[in-house]
Amino acid sequence: DIPVPLQSVSYNAKIFEHLAELEIVQEYTNKTNTFLDVVYFFPKSLESAFIGLTCYVASHEIKTVLLDRLSAQQKFTRAV
């Protein structure tokens, strides 16, 4: 495993009566000369819901498509 240094963290929260929407921005820097295959674990409680992820790599925007775990693993395996 190669650690990827976290450069910064910022967040924005919106409260709607009994619900909250939290946007977290984390900036990492790959200091190697190779591409990395990265696994990210989302720190969230069981009462929360994950609704999306957008990654920016250089000048490219990558938006997620939410899949169940098995479908995501199968799709990843076929891609690599």
Side-chain angles (χ1 to χ4, degrees):
D1 292 346
I2 300 170
V4 180
L6 177 62
Q7 299 298 309
S8 66
V9 177
S10 63
Y11 63 90
N12 184 30
K14 297 177 186 175
I15 309 296
F16 308 98
E17 295 183 14
H18 300 290
L19 299 174
E21 177 180 287
L22 180 62
E23 175 185 62
I24 301 171
V25 176
Q26 297 176 320
E27 182 179 342
Y28 295 87
T29 301
N30 177 7
K31 296 190 178 197
T32 70
N33 292 326
T34 61
F35 293 109
L36 300 177
D37 180 10
V38 179
V39 175
Y40 182 86
F41 293 96
F42 294 92
K44 67 175 203 65
S45 70
L46 294 175
E47 294 82 27
S48 64
F50 178 78
I51 59 171
L53 170 73
T54 303
C55 296
Y56 299 93
V57 179
S59 61
H60 301 285
E61 180 181 277
I62 304 166
K63 290 191 176 190
T64 58
V65 175
L66 298 180
L67 301 170
D68 63 87
R69 181 185 299 254
L70 181 59
S71 297
Q73 288 172 337
Q74 291 171 342
K75 188 171 184 172
F76 178 79
T77 301
R78 286 191 306 270
V80 295

